[in-house]
Amino acid sequence: MRAGFDDLSLDELRARRSQKWRMYPDDVLPAWVAEMDFALAPPVAAALHEAIDLGDCGYAHPGALPEAFARFAAARFNWSVEPEHVTVAPDVVMGIVEVLKAVTEPGAGVVISPPVYPPFFSTIERFERKVVEAPLAEGPNGWELDLDALERAFASGARAYLLCNPHNPIGQVFTRDKLEAIAALAERYDIVVVSDEIHAPMTMPGATHIPVPSLGADAAARSVVITSTSKAWNTAGLKCAVIVAGSAQMQGRLESMPTHLVVESGHLGVLAAVAAFDSGVEWLDELVDYLDGNRRLLGELLESQLPGVGYVPPQAGFLTWLDCRSLGLGDDPAEVFLERGRVALTSGLGFGAEGAGWARLNIGTSRELLTEAVSRMAAALA
C-alpha cells in the first residue's frame, strides 16, 4: 500500500494527544470517535509544514478555499458550485447552527432521522429550535429512509430538515430516488434541506454520492450543504469547514450569518483544506480502497468471532453500525466491550432511542488493529 495505511505503530499512536488517544487508559484500544489513525496525506502535511516554516499562523482568510472546493465538487460529484456561494466556518456543527439560525425562527421544528449523529439533537435544542424525529425504518437489509415518517414530520409545521448523507452511523449513501423524494417533499412543505455531507469524499465502490443541490434548480433553491476535510483527510483539530449555498437564492437567505465565522476558523485548517481538495485526491483514492478492504475484513472477522452481531457494510466512510441486540448485553453493549474487552466503541444510545443495543465501531485503522479490536470484543463475551 503506497500510502502506508498498514504501517501503524500502537506505541506511536499512543503518543498522540487527541481526544481519541487521551480519553481512556493505555490498556484500552480506542475505536470510537470519528478520527482515523493514519498519517496525514503528504500534500496536507506539506502545506502545514510550509505555513509553520513561514510563521504563517495568524487569523484565517478564505484564500483559495472556495475555488478549490468548487473544483473538487465538480470532479468528485459532478456538482457545479459557484465559489461565491461557499462560506468558511470553523466546523460542520457550527455551520449547522448558523444556517439553522439564518433560515428558521426560534421555536421552529427541525426534522432529523435517527439513529443519527448525536450532536444533531443537542445542537437543535441549544439554539431554541425543536427536534422533530422522523426515524429511519429498520428492514431486513438494514436501515432505510422512511418517507412516510418524513412527510408526517414535514407536515407538522417543521421548517428545516437536517439530513446526514452519507448517514452517520449507518454509513448509507442515499440514492437519487430517495433524494429526489426528499426534495419533492421539501418543496411541497416549504422545508429547507440542510445536508451534512462530511463523509461524502469517502464514498465506496458500488455507491454514488449525489449532493442535494445537484438534483436540479428547485432542490438547489432550498438546500445547503455543509462539509469539511475533517473526516476524509483527518483534519478535525484544524477547525475548518465550508457552507455551500445551493443557489443564489439560498445564498441570499444566508446573508444574516455572522461575518466572523471565517475568523473563528483555523487558518491552518483553511490551508490544509485547499491542499486536500486540490492535491490530496490520489491519497484519498488510496484511502477509500483501503477502507473498502477494511469493511470486508470486518464482515469476515464478525462472522468468525462474533456471528451474533448484525452488520451491514457502510457505503461510505470509516464508521460501522453494529447490531448487538442478540448478544444479551443490554442497551449499551459498548459499555460491556469496554469493561470486559478493553476496547472502546461508541455507545448507540446517543444516536437516539433506536440505538439501544447497538454500537458504532471505527475501522479507520490498520488491518492489524481492526483485527485486535474484534478479538477484544469477542473476548468480552468469553
Side-chain angles (χ1 to χ4, degrees):
M1 183 61 59
R2 284 177 295 163
F5 296 115
D6 265 328
D7 301 330
L8 295 181
S9 160
L10 190 56
D11 287 340
E12 290 179 2
L13 290 172
R14 291 200 185 283
R16 293 183 178 181
R17 289 166 286 183
S18 64
Q19 186 181 50
K20 179 177 185 178
W21 292 96
R22 285 291 178 263
M23 179 64 73
Y24 296 102
D26 282 352
D27 66 327
V28 172
L29 183 65
W32 60 293
V33 72
E35 174 186 324
M36 295 189 294
D37 292 339
F38 309 123
L40 287 174
V44 172
L48 295 173
H49 282 295
E50 180 183 12
I52 297 299
D53 290 343
L54 290 171
D56 187 9
C57 295
Y59 293 108
H61 182 276
L65 181 51
E67 291 78 12
F69 178 77
R71 288 189 291 269
F72 177 80
R76 198 80 175 180
F77 308 127
N78 195 29
W79 174 28
S80 179
V81 170
E82 297 293 339
E84 58 265 30
H85 296 168
V86 177
T87 301
V88 177
D91 54 46
V92 166
V93 171
M94 183 58 70
I96 289 169
V97 167
E98 296 302 338
V99 169
L100 289 179
K101 286 166 66 176
V103 302
T104 67
E105 298 295 329
V110 178
V111 180
I112 59 174
S113 295
V116 74
Y117 182 50
F120 278 17
F121 296 90
S122 57
T123 297
I124 292 168
E125 293 173 343
R126 189 165 71 250
F127 291 91
E128 300 178 340
R129 273 64 177 173
K130 180 176 66 175
V131 171
V132 180
E133 296 190 20
L136 302 177
E138 188 182 0
N141 299 314
W143 297 85
E144 292 287 345
L145 193 68
D146 187 335
L147 292 173
D148 291 334
L150 197 62
E151 180 165 15
R152 288 192 296 271
F154 285 8
S156 72
R159 300 271 42 92
Y161 179 35
L162 184 48
L163 172 67
C164 192
N165 180 38
H167 193 282
N168 175 9
I170 68 171
Q172 185 176 116
V173 177
F174 293 120
T175 62
R176 180 176 293 274
D177 287 348
K178 286 293 175 68
L179 293 172
E180 287 178 341
I182 292 170
L185 288 172
E187 185 174 7
R188 184 181 310 165
Y189 293 100
D190 192 23
I191 299 288
V192 174
V193 179
V194 182
S195 188
D196 170 358
E197 302 187 5
I198 196 171
H199 297 278
M202 296 176 287
T203 298
M204 301 286 185
T208 300
H209 175 73
I210 301 169
V212 173
S214 71
L215 294 171
D218 291 338
R222 60 178 64 255
S223 62
V224 182
V225 167
I226 309 174
T227 190
S228 172
T229 61
S230 63
K231 303 308 178 200
W233 287 274
N234 217 43
T235 60
L238 299 179
K239 307 305 289 182
C240 178
V242 291
I243 300 168
V244 188
S247 65
Q249 176 183 344
M250 180 55 67
Q251 180 67 14
R253 297 184 66 177
L254 299 181
E255 287 181 353
S256 62
M257 292 193 306
T259 57
H260 58 73
L261 273 177
V262 64
V263 178
E264 293 181 355
S265 304
H267 177 51
L268 295 179
V270 172
L271 300 177
V274 172
F277 289 136
D278 272 345
S279 306
V281 174
E282 181 180 356
W283 182 92
L284 175 64
D285 289 339
E286 294 181 15
L287 169 70
V288 170
D289 181 68
Y290 192 82
L291 293 175
D292 184 25
N294 275 8
R295 66 174 178 167
R296 287 184 273 109
L297 173 62
L298 178 59
E300 296 167 2
L301 293 170
L302 292 174
E303 184 177 3
S304 63
Q305 299 183 47
L306 288 165
V309 173
Y311 166 64
V312 176
Q315 295 177 311
F318 54 89
L319 303 174
T320 61
W321 188 230
L322 305 181
D323 182 0
C324 305
R325 289 173 295 182
S326 70
L327 301 181
L329 303 181
D331 287 347
D332 193 3
E335 182 178 18
V336 179
F337 291 134
L338 176 61
E339 291 180 355
R340 299 182 190 172
R342 309 309 285 165
V343 56
L345 280 65
T346 301
S347 170
L349 296 177
F351 297 84
E354 295 76 12
W358 295 71
R360 193 186 73 180
L361 171 69
N362 180 338
I363 63 169
T365 190
S366 69
R367 305 248 160 92
E368 179 182 359
L369 291 179
L370 175 57
T371 301
E372 173 67 16
V374 176
S375 296
R376 291 185 181 214
M377 292 169 64
L381 304 184

